Amino acid sequence: MMEDLDKEVPVFASWRGWYVLVIGVLLVLIGLFFWITKFFA
Amino acid sequence: MSILDWVVLVCTLGGIVAFGMYKTAATKSMEGYFLSNRSLPWYLVLLSIMGTQASAITFLSAPGQAYTDGMRFVQYYFGLPLAMVVLCISFVPLYHRLKVFTAYEFLEQRFDAKTRTFASVLFLLSRGLSTGVSIYAPSIILSSLLGWDIFYTNLVMGSLLVVYTINGGAKAVAYTQQIQMVIILGGMLAVGYYLVHLLPEGIGFTDALKLGGVNGKLNIITTGFTEKGFDWKDRYNIVSGIVGGFFLALSYFGTDQSQVGRYLTAKNVTQSRIGLLMNGLVKIPMQFLILLVGVLLFNYYQFTKAPIFFNTTLAASIHNKADKAICEGLEQQYNTLLEGQSSLSRAYLSQPTDTIAKAAMLERAAQIKNVQIQYRAAIKKALPHADTNDTNYIFLRFVVDYLPKGLVGLLIAIIFMSAWGSIAAALNSLASCTMIDVHKRLFTYTTEEGLMEARCMKDYRISRYYTLGWGVFCIITAELSSGLGSLIEAVNIMGSLFYGVILGVFLVAFYVKRVGGTAVFIAAIASELLVITLFTLDKYDVIGLGFLWLNVVGAVSVVVLGLLCSFVVNEQKRLA
């Protein structure tokens, strides 16, 4: 049953795509915040 | 408050209660009442998760936090997206597959009844008390600034939401949180826009960022490292934010029923996952924007006279005391220092490379801060039991003093709604935990076909009584909190003392299959003692350890001790 539910993944081919997106956005935000901190310090 | 503000406040709050009553009559069964028949789409799950996490204090104190300490508080949320990923991989599919009502049900299936009881009692105790305090904390600020009676403020803060929560259960909680979050975020954006609009002529948004940066308010990323190495006592830095924040978020979203109950309302695993992952995407930017409001507020007060102490009611009360002369002297000194502040800021902005202008502005800021510290000390001396931390008053003081009529009422309504969102979810989860983990285990029924419908109705009615009971308990806790300032601190600390250990129990349940119920129970008790010991040593300055690290210690300790105990304790394993 779980395998069937796992197949229902919107936008990406698998859930791994979503996980990479979430972690990628986190890294981009940290990079952006680091730049803002340095630029305006 | 003006009549228009009162109209906006009453209409907004009345509208939410009416909407909750009209839209969300619950199915008369426990699944309908506690889990909305597992039918909600991901966007309602997302707004419900966000509305549950964001209490009134979040919106009251975050801008004040940025005003005083800068934006580094945002790092506290860096572990949250990672926790969302782990939850979606491990926790969510299992909870859905087992069709549990509460997270603690799973512990009995995996371990035994005593481990389930241990976790659910810790939850009921800590969440029950902290919900009472989350009624009291915004009430005391509102009553202090607006002159309202604290008894009635607590009553309104804690009682109106009970009406729709009893009636509609989890569905009412989710649907009202949807409206509440939209109004809250819209209101905060309006305040941000208004703050930029209020800046004097010739000072733009970029100038505001420059001023904030040079005054140390845009310290978004801090490492926590000093000349002496890593500062373990430093609360907010990138290391404690990612590691400690990850464990805290994993524990809160994975094991606290007030959150688990939100994403179990989703119609399937996919909807739960999308709701949680979207939370991982939007939470940090949202918190960043709320903190940015605090930086804009700081800039506004570079060109407008800020109060020497933002809890002006407390400041006024000291004028009847013996230290009146000292305070008046400090106020005079403060006003003199403020006079040149605006021109010093303008001089820096016109010549940002001029080190003399920059030094002069920063020196003046330091002098102003020094007078404020002396003023707080004077208040503390005159009123030893008073809370001289005015961070939570900064944002609301600005709202009351400077926002136009109508918007003040809306902002006060936002404070109520953000409180209601988290309190309603807490009441629903407290009732579900009491019903499922305590009541249903103590009172077992036979399940003959003909009696099923009557049984469902009875369970539904009892569940409503538990919601009402917890509502009354939390309001009483809020009323008793008046005058017991230390209780708030104690309850807040209690959460961080238990979260890590409960998470450790769940981590063992998910990932360490060889550990059984008795081993994990012994490990949980020993780890709890370890966490309490470390906390006590930190309190008495024997060691230095920020509270986020207690979550890491508690969780890791349960896993390690559980594994060690499993080699000693011989027991039959029950795998879920």
Side-chain angles (χ1 to χ4, degrees):
Chain A
M1 190 181 87
M2 286 312 301
E3 282 170 7
D4 290 342
L5 287 172
D6 273 352
K7 281 176 188 168
E8 193 192 329
V9 185
V11 185
F12 293 101
S14 74
W15 284 108
R16 188 171 294 175
W18 275 97
Y19 304 150
V20 170
L21 173 72
V22 171
I23 294 169
V25 168
L26 171 67
L27 292 175
V28 169
L29 283 173
I30 290 175
L32 181 68
F33 292 158
F34 188 76
W35 177 79
I36 294 172
T37 306
K38 287 283 172 204
F39 186 81
F40 288 104
Chain B
M1 284 210 314
S2 69
I3 293 171
L4 180 63
D5 290 321
W6 276 107
V7 170
V8 171
L9 176 63
V10 172
C11 288
T12 312
L13 297 187
I16 288 288
V17 176
F19 178 78
M21 296 290 288
Y22 163 73
K23 180 88 179 172
T24 60
T27 310
K28 292 178 175 46
S29 68
M30 283 210 302
E31 189 143 29
Y33 191 68
F34 289 132
L35 298 177
S36 196
N37 283 326
R38 303 180 199 264
S39 63
L40 300 186
W42 68 267
Y43 55 88
L44 274 180
V45 174
L46 167 69
L47 292 170
S48 196
I49 288 168
M50 292 175 76
T52 301
Q53 189 182 15
S55 68
I57 284 294
T58 308
F59 294 97
L60 281 173
S61 75
Q65 183 85 24
Y67 183 99
T68 54
D69 189 41
M71 292 182 71
R72 70 194 186 112
F73 178 65
V74 79
Q75 296 170 112
Y76 177 79
Y77 295 96
F78 282 178
L80 186 143
L82 303 175
M84 295 301 109
V85 170
V86 174
L87 282 171
C88 289
I89 294 170
S90 298
F91 289 56
V92 175
L94 193 65
Y95 287 158
H96 273 275
R97 178 160 61 88
L98 297 176
K99 291 207 168 293
V100 292
F101 279 79
T102 73
Y104 318 112
E105 257 183 294
F106 160 66
L107 291 181
E108 184 166 0
Q109 295 183 38
R110 169 64 177 85
F111 296 123
D112 51 29
K114 67 177 179 297
T115 311
R116 175 185 182 179
T117 307
F118 173 78
S120 53
V121 166
L122 279 189
F123 167 73
L124 288 173
L125 189 70
S126 60
R127 182 54 60 198
L129 289 174
S130 65
T131 305
V133 171
S134 61
I135 294 172
Y136 171 71
S139 296
I140 186 66
I141 295 165
L142 286 174
S143 67
S144 176
L145 283 183
L146 301 170
W148 295 350
D149 187 296
I150 181 67
F151 178 84
Y152 294 108
T153 314
N154 274 333
L155 210 58
V156 175
M157 188 72 76
S159 64
L160 289 182
L161 70 119
V162 176
V163 176
Y164 65 78
T165 310
I166 288 176
N167 187 58
K171 195 175 175 188
V173 174
Y175 273 86
T176 48
Q177 279 173 330
Q178 172 196 11
I179 303 289
Q180 287 161 355
M181 281 308 292
V182 170
I183 298 174
I184 288 167
L185 294 178
M188 292 305 283
L189 281 175
V191 173
Y193 171 79
Y194 204 76
L195 272 165
V196 176
H197 178 73
L198 278 178
L199 286 170
E201 208 179 319
I203 307 290
F205 180 68
T206 318
D207 296 322
L209 291 182
K210 278 181 194 163
L211 262 185
V214 80
N215 280 284
K217 306 303 173 189
L218 288 176
N219 55 351
I220 313 171
I221 301 288
T222 55
T223 62
F225 283 94
T226 63
E227 298 87 29
K228 295 174 186 171
F230 186 71
D231 182 4
W232 291 91
K233 212 170 170 58
D234 182 34
R235 284 187 172 179
Y236 310 117
N237 56 63
I238 191 164
V239 182
S240 72
I242 291 177
V243 182
F246 167 75
F247 278 86
L248 180 66
L250 193 60
S251 181
Y252 176 56
F253 287 96
T255 74
D256 189 310
Q257 182 59 26
S258 64
Q259 281 295 356
V260 176
R262 296 318 102 215
Y263 56 80
L264 285 183
T265 57
K267 64 176 137 191
N268 55 36
V269 179
T270 299
Q271 301 298 310
S272 284
R273 276 177 165 161
I274 300 289
L276 285 166
L277 291 170
M278 291 302 283
N279 185 43
L281 286 173
V282 300
K283 183 69 188 177
I284 295 174
M286 186 189 93
Q287 213 59 43
F288 173 84
L289 290 175
I290 293 172
L291 288 165
L292 193 61
V293 168
V295 175
L296 292 172
L297 201 54
F298 172 82
N299 282 284
Y300 176 68
Y301 281 128
Q302 299 309 297
F303 303 98
T304 309
K305 190 189 166 210
I308 187 168
F309 186 69
F310 283 90
N311 185 353
T312 45
T313 312
L314 184 63
S317 68
I318 201 176
H319 284 262
N320 304 320
K321 301 281 177 182
D323 298 86
K324 182 181 172 184
I326 299 171
C327 284
E328 283 181 349
L330 287 168
E331 280 169 18
Q332 205 167 14
Q333 204 180 331
Y334 178 77
N335 288 335
T336 311
L337 286 169
L338 282 186
E339 274 167 23
Q341 187 193 27
S342 169
S343 50
L344 285 171
S345 296
R346 279 185 182 278
Y348 165 73
L349 286 173
S350 62
Q351 286 290 333
T353 49
D354 184 350
T355 49
I356 297 170
K358 181 180 172 183
M361 183 186 70
L362 292 178
E363 193 187 337
R364 181 62 62 93
Q367 287 169 337
I368 290 170
K369 196 172 179 182
N370 188 36
V371 175
Q372 286 177 313
I373 291 168
Q374 289 180 55
Y375 195 83
R376 276 191 208 107
I379 293 177
K380 194 74 186 168
K381 194 179 164 201
L383 304 164
H385 299 294
D387 181 7
T388 53
N389 182 357
D390 62 346
T391 306
N392 291 340
Y393 291 81
I394 293 172
F395 179 60
L396 208 56
R397 185 73 264 163
F398 165 78
V399 167
V400 172
D401 288 344
Y402 295 105
L403 286 193
K405 285 176 184 174
L407 202 52
V408 176
L410 181 68
L411 262 291
I412 305 290
I414 283 174
I415 303 301
F416 273 95
M417 284 189 295
S418 49
W420 285 4
S422 56
I423 295 163
L427 292 185
N428 186 255
S429 64
L430 286 164
S432 67
C433 185
T434 312
M435 188 67 194
I436 305 293
D437 296 314
V438 181
H439 182 97
K440 294 286 277 180
R441 290 175 66 225
L442 292 177
F443 306 99
T444 49
Y445 311 133
T446 54
T447 51
E448 290 140 35
E449 237 358 81
L451 292 174
M452 278 302 285
E453 201 177 327
R455 208 66 84 195
C456 280
M457 272 306 290
K458 190 178 177 186
D459 285 345
Y460 166 70
R461 276 202 303 275
I462 294 169
S463 301
R464 284 164 57 109
Y465 285 128
Y466 279 131
T467 308
L468 176 64
W470 277 110
V472 172
F473 173 87
C474 292
I475 292 170
I476 291 172
T477 306
E479 298 293 4
L480 291 177
S481 299
S482 308
L484 292 170
S486 60
L487 183 70
I488 299 173
E489 196 187 354
V491 170
N492 286 337
I493 288 165
M494 201 166 71
S496 62
L497 288 179
F498 295 137
Y499 265 151
V501 173
I502 296 179
L503 174 64
V505 173
F506 275 85
L507 289 179
V508 170
F510 280 110
Y511 300 118
V512 195
K513 300 294 182 194
R514 64 163 289 123
V515 180
T518 304
V520 81
F521 188 75
I522 294 168
I525 301 285
S527 301
E528 194 55 68
L529 290 173
L530 174 67
V531 168
I532 291 168
T533 306
L534 288 176
F535 167 73
T536 312
L537 291 174
D538 174 66
K539 194 174 168 63
Y540 290 103
D541 288 326
V542 180
I543 59 167
L545 194 68
F547 78 97
L548 275 175
W549 293 107
L550 292 176
N551 297 289
V552 185
V553 172
V556 172
S557 171
V558 174
V559 175
V560 173
L561 291 177
L563 255 175
L564 291 175
C565 286
S566 70
F567 290 107
V568 181
V569 181
N570 187 18
E571 56 187 326
Q572 201 177 359
K573 287 181 275 295
R574 301 162 66 177
L575 300 180

Coordinates of all heavy atoms in Angstrom, one line a residue, chain B residues 25-83:
Chain B
A25 N -18.8 22.1 10.9 CA -19.5 21.1 11.8 C -18.8 19.7 11.5 O -18.7 19.2 10.4 CB -20.9 21.0 11.4
A26 N -18.3 19.2 12.6 CA -17.5 17.9 12.5 C -18.4 16.7 12.3 O -19.5 16.7 12.8 CB -16.6 17.8 13.7
T27 N -17.8 15.7 11.6 CA -18.5 14.4 11.6 C -18.5 13.9 13.0 O -17.5 14.0 13.7 CB -17.7 13.5 10.7 OG1 -17.4 14.1 9.5 CG2 -18.4 12.2 10.4
K28 N -19.6 13.3 13.4 CA -19.8 12.9 14.8 C -19.1 11.6 15.1 O -19.8 10.6 15.4 CB -21.2 12.9 15.2 CG -21.8 14.3 15.2 CD -23.3 14.4 15.5 CE -23.7 15.9 15.6 NZ -23.3 16.8 14.6
S29 N -17.8 11.5 14.9 CA -17.0 10.3 15.2 C -15.6 10.9 15.7 O -15.3 12.0 15.4 CB -16.9 9.4 14.0 OG -16.1 10.1 13.1
M30 N -14.9 10.0 16.3 CA -13.5 10.5 16.7 C -12.6 10.8 15.6 O -11.9 11.7 15.6 CB -12.9 9.4 17.6 CG -13.5 9.3 19.0 SD -12.3 8.8 20.2 CE -11.8 7.2 19.5
E31 N -12.7 10.0 14.5 CA -11.9 10.3 13.3 C -12.3 11.6 12.7 O -11.4 12.4 12.2 CB -12.0 9.2 12.3 CG -11.0 9.3 11.2 CD -10.5 7.9 10.7 OE1 -11.2 7.0 10.8 OE2 -9.4 7.9 10.2
G32 N -13.5 11.9 12.7 CA -14.0 13.2 12.1 C -13.6 14.4 13.1 O -13.1 15.4 12.6
Y33 N -13.7 14.1 14.4 CA -13.5 15.2 15.3 C -12.0 15.5 15.5 O -11.6 16.7 15.6 CB -14.1 14.8 16.7 CG -14.1 15.9 17.7 CD1 -14.9 17.0 17.5 CD2 -13.3 15.9 18.8 CE1 -15.0 18.0 18.5 CE2 -13.3 16.9 19.8 CZ -14.2 18.0 19.6 OH -14.2 19.0 20.5
F34 N -11.2 14.4 15.6 CA -9.7 14.7 15.8 C -8.9 14.7 14.6 O -7.8 15.4 14.6 CB -9.2 13.5 16.7 CG -9.7 13.6 18.1 CD1 -10.2 12.5 18.8 CD2 -9.6 14.8 18.9 CE1 -10.6 12.6 20.1 CE2 -10.1 14.9 20.2 CZ -10.6 13.8 20.8
L35 N -9.3 14.1 13.5 CA -8.5 14.1 12.3 C -9.2 14.6 11.0 O -8.7 14.3 9.9 CB -8.0 12.7 12.1 CG -7.1 12.1 13.2 CD1 -6.7 10.7 12.9 CD2 -5.8 13.0 13.4
S36 N -10.4 15.2 11.2 CA -11.1 15.7 10.1 C -11.3 14.7 9.0 O -11.3 15.0 7.8 CB -10.3 16.9 9.5 OG -11.2 17.7 8.7
N37 N -11.6 13.4 9.4 CA -11.8 12.3 8.5 C -10.6 12.1 7.6 O -10.8 11.5 6.5 CB -13.1 12.4 7.7 CG -14.3 12.1 8.6 OD1 -14.2 11.2 9.5 ND2 -15.4 12.8 8.4
R38 N -9.4 12.5 8.0 CA -8.2 12.4 7.1 C -8.5 12.8 5.7 O -8.4 12.1 4.7 CB -7.7 11.0 7.1 CG -7.4 10.5 8.5 CD -6.8 9.0 8.5 NE -6.9 8.4 9.8 CZ -6.0 8.3 10.6 NH1 -4.8 8.8 10.4 NH2 -6.2 7.6 11.8
S39 N -9.0 14.1 5.5 CA -9.5 14.5 4.3 C -8.9 15.8 3.7 O -9.3 16.3 2.6 CB -11.1 14.7 4.4 OG -11.3 15.8 5.3
L40 N -8.0 16.5 4.5 CA -7.6 17.8 4.1 C -6.5 17.8 3.0 O -5.7 17.0 3.0 CB -7.1 18.6 5.3 CG -8.2 18.8 6.4 CD1 -7.6 19.7 7.5 CD2 -9.5 19.3 5.9
P41 N -6.6 18.9 2.1 CA -5.5 19.0 1.1 C -4.2 19.6 1.7 O -4.3 20.2 2.8 CB -6.2 20.0 0.1 CG -7.1 20.8 0.9 CD -7.6 19.9 2.0
W42 N -3.1 19.6 1.0 CA -1.8 20.0 1.5 C -1.8 21.4 1.9 O -1.2 21.8 2.9 CB -0.7 19.7 0.5 CG -0.8 20.5 -0.7 CD1 -1.4 20.2 -1.9 CD2 -0.2 21.8 -0.9 NE1 -1.2 21.2 -2.8 CE2 -0.5 22.2 -2.2 CE3 0.5 22.7 -0.1 CZ2 -0.1 23.5 -2.7 CZ3 0.9 23.9 -0.6 CH2 0.6 24.3 -1.9
Y43 N -2.5 22.3 1.2 CA -2.4 23.8 1.6 C -3.0 24.1 2.9 O -2.6 24.9 3.7 CB -2.9 24.7 0.5 CG -4.3 24.4 0.0 CD1 -5.4 25.0 0.7 CD2 -4.6 23.5 -1.0 CE1 -6.7 24.7 0.3 CE2 -5.9 23.2 -1.4 CZ -6.9 23.8 -0.8 OH -8.2 23.6 -1.1
L44 N -4.1 23.3 3.2 CA -4.7 23.5 4.6 C -3.8 22.9 5.6 O -3.7 23.4 6.7 CB -6.1 22.8 4.6 CG -7.3 23.6 4.1 CD1 -8.6 22.8 4.2 CD2 -7.4 24.9 4.9
V45 N -3.2 21.8 5.3 CA -2.2 21.2 6.3 C -1.1 22.2 6.5 O -0.7 22.4 7.7 CB -1.7 19.8 5.7 CG1 -0.6 19.3 6.6 CG2 -2.8 18.8 5.6
L46 N -0.6 22.8 5.4 CA 0.6 23.7 5.6 C 0.2 24.9 6.5 O 0.9 25.2 7.4 CB 0.9 24.2 4.2 CG 1.8 25.5 4.1 CD1 3.2 25.1 4.6 CD2 1.9 26.1 2.7
L47 N -1.0 25.5 6.2 CA -1.4 26.7 7.0 C -1.7 26.3 8.4 O -1.4 27.1 9.3 CB -2.6 27.3 6.3 CG -2.4 28.0 5.0 CD1 -3.6 28.4 4.3 CD2 -1.4 29.2 5.2
S48 N -2.2 25.1 8.6 CA -2.5 24.6 9.9 C -1.2 24.4 10.7 O -1.1 24.7 11.9 CB -3.3 23.3 9.9 OG -3.9 23.0 11.1
I49 N -0.2 23.8 10.1 CA 1.1 23.6 10.7 C 1.7 24.9 11.1 O 2.2 25.1 12.2 CB 2.1 22.8 9.7 CG1 1.7 21.4 9.6 CG2 3.5 22.9 10.2 CD1 2.4 20.7 8.4
M50 N 1.7 25.9 10.1 CA 2.3 27.2 10.4 C 1.5 27.9 11.5 O 2.1 28.6 12.4 CB 2.3 28.0 9.1 CG 3.2 27.5 8.1 SD 3.1 28.4 6.5 CE 4.0 29.8 6.9
G51 N 0.2 27.8 11.4 CA -0.6 28.5 12.4 C -0.4 27.9 13.8 O -0.5 28.6 14.8
T52 N -0.2 26.6 13.9 CA 0.1 26.0 15.2 C 1.4 26.4 15.8 O 1.5 26.7 17.0 CB 0.0 24.5 15.0 OG1 -1.2 24.1 14.5 CG2 0.2 23.7 16.4
Q53 N 2.4 26.5 14.9 CA 3.8 26.8 15.4 C 3.9 28.3 15.8 O 4.5 28.6 16.8 CB 4.8 26.5 14.3 CG 6.2 26.6 14.9 CD 7.3 26.4 13.8 OE1 7.0 26.3 12.6 NE2 8.5 26.1 14.3
A54 N 3.2 29.2 15.0 CA 3.4 30.6 15.3 C 2.4 31.1 16.3 O 1.2 31.3 16.0 CB 3.1 31.4 14.0
S55 N 2.8 31.3 17.5 CA 1.9 31.8 18.6 C 2.0 33.3 18.6 O 2.7 33.9 17.8 CB 2.4 31.2 19.9 OG 3.6 31.8 20.3
A56 N 1.2 33.9 19.4 CA 1.1 35.4 19.5 C 2.5 35.9 19.8 O 2.9 37.0 19.3 CB 0.1 35.8 20.6
I57 N 3.2 35.2 20.7 CA 4.5 35.7 21.1 C 5.5 35.8 19.9 O 6.4 36.6 19.9 CB 5.1 34.9 22.3 CG1 4.3 35.2 23.6 CG2 6.5 35.0 22.5 CD1 4.6 36.6 24.1
T58 N 5.3 34.9 19.0 CA 6.1 34.9 17.8 C 6.0 36.2 17.1 O 7.1 36.8 16.7 CB 5.7 33.8 16.8 OG1 5.6 32.6 17.5 CG2 6.6 33.7 15.6
F59 N 4.8 36.7 16.9 CA 4.6 38.0 16.2 C 4.9 39.2 17.1 O 5.3 40.3 16.6 CB 3.2 38.1 15.6 CG 3.0 37.0 14.6 CD1 2.4 35.8 14.9 CD2 3.5 37.3 13.3 CE1 2.2 34.9 13.9 CE2 3.3 36.3 12.3 CZ 2.7 35.1 12.6
L60 N 4.8 39.0 18.4 CA 5.1 40.1 19.3 C 6.6 40.3 19.6 O 7.1 41.4 19.6 CB 4.4 39.9 20.7 CG 2.9 40.2 20.8 CD1 2.3 39.8 22.1 CD2 2.7 41.7 20.6
S61 N 7.3 39.1 19.7 CA 8.6 39.2 20.2 C 9.7 39.2 19.1 O 10.7 39.8 19.2 CB 9.0 38.2 21.2 OG 9.1 36.9 20.6
A62 N 9.3 38.6 17.9 CA 10.3 38.5 16.8 C 10.8 39.9 16.3 O 12.0 40.1 16.3 CB 9.8 37.7 15.7
P63 N 9.9 40.8 16.0 CA 10.4 42.2 15.6 C 11.2 42.8 16.8 O 12.3 43.5 16.5 CB 9.1 43.0 15.4 CG 8.1 41.9 15.1 CD 8.4 40.8 16.0
G64 N 10.8 42.6 18.0 CA 11.5 43.2 19.1 C 12.9 42.6 19.3 O 13.9 43.2 19.6
Q65 N 13.0 41.3 19.0 CA 14.2 40.5 19.1 C 15.2 41.1 18.0 O 16.4 41.3 18.3 CB 13.9 39.0 18.7 CG 15.1 38.1 18.8 CD 15.3 37.6 20.2 OE1 14.4 37.6 21.0 NE2 16.6 37.2 20.5
A66 N 14.7 41.3 16.8 CA 15.6 41.9 15.8 C 16.0 43.3 16.1 O 17.1 43.8 15.9 CB 14.9 41.9 14.4
Y67 N 15.1 44.1 16.8 CA 15.4 45.4 17.2 C 16.5 45.5 18.2 O 17.4 46.3 18.1 CB 14.1 46.0 17.8 CG 14.2 47.5 18.2 CD1 13.7 48.5 17.4 CD2 14.8 47.8 19.4 CE1 13.7 49.8 17.8 CE2 14.9 49.2 19.8 CZ 14.3 50.1 19.0 OH 14.4 51.5 19.4
T68 N 16.5 44.6 19.1 CA 17.6 44.6 20.2 C 18.8 43.8 19.8 O 19.9 44.2 20.0 CB 17.0 44.1 21.5 OG1 16.5 42.8 21.3 CG2 16.0 45.0 22.1
D69 N 18.6 42.6 19.2 CA 19.7 41.7 19.1 C 20.1 41.4 17.6 O 21.0 40.6 17.3 CB 19.3 40.3 19.7 CG 20.5 39.4 19.8 OD1 21.6 39.8 20.1 OD2 20.3 38.2 19.6
G70 N 19.4 42.0 16.7 CA 19.6 41.8 15.3 C 18.8 40.5 14.7 O 18.1 39.9 15.5
M71 N 19.1 40.2 13.5 CA 18.3 39.2 12.8 C 18.9 37.8 13.0 O 18.4 36.8 12.4 CB 18.2 39.5 11.3 CG 17.4 40.7 11.1 SD 17.2 41.1 9.3 CE 16.1 39.8 8.8
R72 N 19.9 37.6 13.8 CA 20.5 36.3 13.9 C 19.6 35.2 14.5 O 19.8 34.0 14.3 CB 21.8 36.3 14.8 CG 21.5 36.6 16.3 CD 22.8 37.0 17.0 NE 22.6 37.0 18.4 CZ 23.2 36.2 19.3 NH1 23.9 35.2 18.9 NH2 22.9 36.3 20.5
F73 N 18.4 35.6 15.0 CA 17.4 34.7 15.5 C 16.9 33.7 14.4 O 16.5 32.6 14.7 CB 16.3 35.5 16.2 CG 15.2 34.6 16.7 CD1 15.4 33.7 17.8 CD2 13.9 34.7 16.1 CE1 14.3 33.0 18.2 CE2 12.9 33.9 16.6 CZ 13.1 33.0 17.6
V74 N 17.0 34.2 13.2 CA 16.5 33.4 12.0 C 17.2 32.1 11.9 O 16.7 31.1 11.4 CB 16.5 34.2 10.7 CG1 17.9 34.2 10.1 CG2 15.5 33.6 9.7
Q75 N 18.5 32.0 12.4 CA 19.3 30.8 12.4 C 18.6 29.6 13.2 O 18.9 28.5 12.9 CB 20.7 31.0 12.9 CG 21.5 32.0 12.0 CD 22.8 32.5 12.7 OE1 23.8 32.2 12.2 NE2 22.7 33.2 13.8
Y76 N 17.8 30.0 14.2 CA 17.1 29.0 15.0 C 16.3 28.1 14.1 O 16.0 27.0 14.5 CB 16.2 29.9 15.9 CG 15.3 29.2 16.8 CD1 15.7 28.6 18.0 CD2 13.9 29.1 16.6 CE1 14.9 28.0 18.9 CE2 13.0 28.5 17.4 CZ 13.5 27.9 18.6 OH 12.6 27.3 19.5
Y77 N 15.9 28.6 12.9 CA 15.0 27.8 12.0 C 15.8 27.0 11.0 O 15.1 26.4 10.1 CB 14.0 28.7 11.4 CG 13.0 29.3 12.4 CD1 13.3 30.6 12.9 CD2 11.9 28.6 12.8 CE1 12.4 31.1 13.8 CE2 11.1 29.2 13.8 CZ 11.3 30.4 14.3 OH 10.5 31.0 15.2
F78 N 17.1 27.1 10.9 CA 17.9 26.5 9.9 C 17.7 24.9 9.9 O 17.9 24.3 8.8 CB 19.3 26.9 9.9 CG 19.6 28.2 9.4 CD1 20.9 28.8 9.4 CD2 18.6 29.0 8.9 CE1 21.2 30.0 8.9 CE2 18.9 30.3 8.4 CZ 20.1 30.8 8.4
G79 N 17.5 24.3 11.0 CA 17.4 22.9 11.1 C 16.0 22.4 10.7 O 15.8 21.2 10.4
L80 N 15.0 23.3 10.6 CA 13.7 22.9 10.3 C 13.5 22.2 8.9 O 12.9 21.2 8.8 CB 12.7 24.1 10.4 CG 11.2 23.9 10.3 CD1 10.5 24.8 11.3 CD2 10.7 24.1 8.9
P81 N 14.0 22.8 7.8 CA 13.8 22.1 6.5 C 14.4 20.7 6.5 O 13.8 19.8 5.9 CB 14.6 23.0 5.5 CG 14.6 24.3 6.2 CD 14.7 24.1 7.6
L82 N 15.5 20.5 7.2 CA 16.1 19.2 7.2 C 15.2 18.2 8.0 O 15.1 17.1 7.6 CB 17.5 19.2 7.9 CG 18.5 20.2 7.3 CD1 19.8 20.3 8.1 CD2 18.9 19.8 5.9
A83 N 14.7 18.7 9.1 CA 13.7 17.9 9.9 C 12.5 17.5 9.1 O 12.0 16.4 9.2 CB 13.3 18.7 11.2

